[in-house]
Amino acid sequence: MNRLCKSLQVLQVVAAASLLGWAAQTRAADSPKPDINRGQAIATQVCASCHGADGNSASGSFPKLAGQHEAYLVKQLKDFKVQAGAQAAARSNPIMAGMAAALSDSDMVNVAAYFAAQTPKPGVARDAATVPVGQKIYRAGIAEKGVPACASCHGPAGSGIPVQYPRISGQWADYTVAQLHAFAQGPGARNNNDAMHGIASRLSDNEIKAVADYVAGLH
């Protein structure tokens, strides 16, 4: 019964996130068309040293942004800023806080559109021993822990859903591990997704590493 309640709670949070995503998508339809050229200039001058000029970063210290959904990137950039009425940013990262602070809302839209239009380079799973565990978590979840399948939100190939859920296929395993730990911690680390906080906090370190490595080779 407890497992059923936990699963229902996760589904309720996911459903709420979907409704918020739909509302954001509706608002986005009324936004001005992004300036890709301006976005490329920002990417080259500001973002390239960490994320690569085309959004394909060179190491797992920084996420790949190429092919990521535009609206998702905009939201994350805004979450690095302290919003009106808040005491702290939803995502804690001193470097990104400084970068985001220098960008206007239109800058964020432009650079997000540029990265979204780039082609992501595929990644690989590096630990064959943990692939079966990672695959099980991604495809089926862990019922006894109330962990839903990652694929239920991020899709069977990890392509995500615009606005609501990010593309995660081919992402560096080290980065995914770091973000799952941040989600598990919540306030003070990454406090911008209640559903992911609940899910990540139920995963062990070994389970996090396994599913992150599996996702790195997903395509």
Side-chain angles (χ1 to χ4, degrees):
M1 187 67 178
N2 287 337
R3 290 201 302 269
L4 177 60
C5 289
K6 288 180 180 178
S7 296
L8 287 173
Q9 288 172 350
V10 170
L11 289 175
Q12 286 172 347
V13 172
V14 170
S18 297
L19 289 173
L20 289 173
W22 175 83
Q25 195 169 29
T26 301
R27 292 193 298 272
D30 299 326
S31 301
K33 185 177 180 180
D35 185 338
I36 298 291
N37 291 331
R38 173 58 183 156
Q40 182 177 18
I42 295 170
T44 301
Q45 297 165 13
V46 180
C47 314
S49 60
C50 293
H51 298 286
D54 64 348
N56 285 291
S57 59
S59 79
S61 298
F62 310 105
K64 297 178 183 178
L65 303 181
Q68 187 57 269
H69 305 306
E70 177 186 334
Y72 178 80
L73 289 176
V74 170
K75 181 184 183 301
Q76 299 312 303
L77 285 169
K78 289 183 177 181
D79 283 350
F80 285 119
K81 288 185 173 184
V82 179
Q83 301 300 315
Q87 295 184 340
R91 291 191 66 173
S92 177
N93 185 305
I95 295 175
M96 281 306 303
M99 296 294 183
L103 299 177
S104 66
D105 286 352
S106 61
D107 287 337
M108 291 181 181
V109 170
N110 293 337
V111 75
Y114 168 73
F115 280 130
Q118 304 312 299
T119 302
K121 293 180 180 178
V124 293
R126 300 186 181 280
D127 190 347
T130 66
V131 165
V133 175
Q135 183 179 42
K136 179 182 180 297
I137 295 170
Y138 192 87
R139 302 292 180 189
I142 308 174
E144 61 270 23
K145 288 187 172 184
V147 175
C150 308
S152 62
C153 291
H154 296 283
S159 57
I161 301 174
V163 185
Q164 295 106 310
Y165 309 113
R167 175 191 179 92
I168 58 174
S169 64
Q171 187 58 266
W172 295 108
D174 288 349
Y175 178 76
T176 301
V177 166
Q179 295 312 301
L180 286 171
H181 281 305
F183 276 128
Q185 180 180 335
R190 186 164 180 175
N191 194 29
N192 65 341
N193 189 306
D194 289 340
M196 281 306 305
H197 170 68
I199 293 167
S201 63
R202 298 187 187 109
L203 295 172
S204 69
D205 286 350
N206 287 337
E207 288 165 344
I208 284 175
K209 290 177 182 177
V211 75
D213 190 57
Y214 177 75
V215 165
L218 191 62
H219 55 79

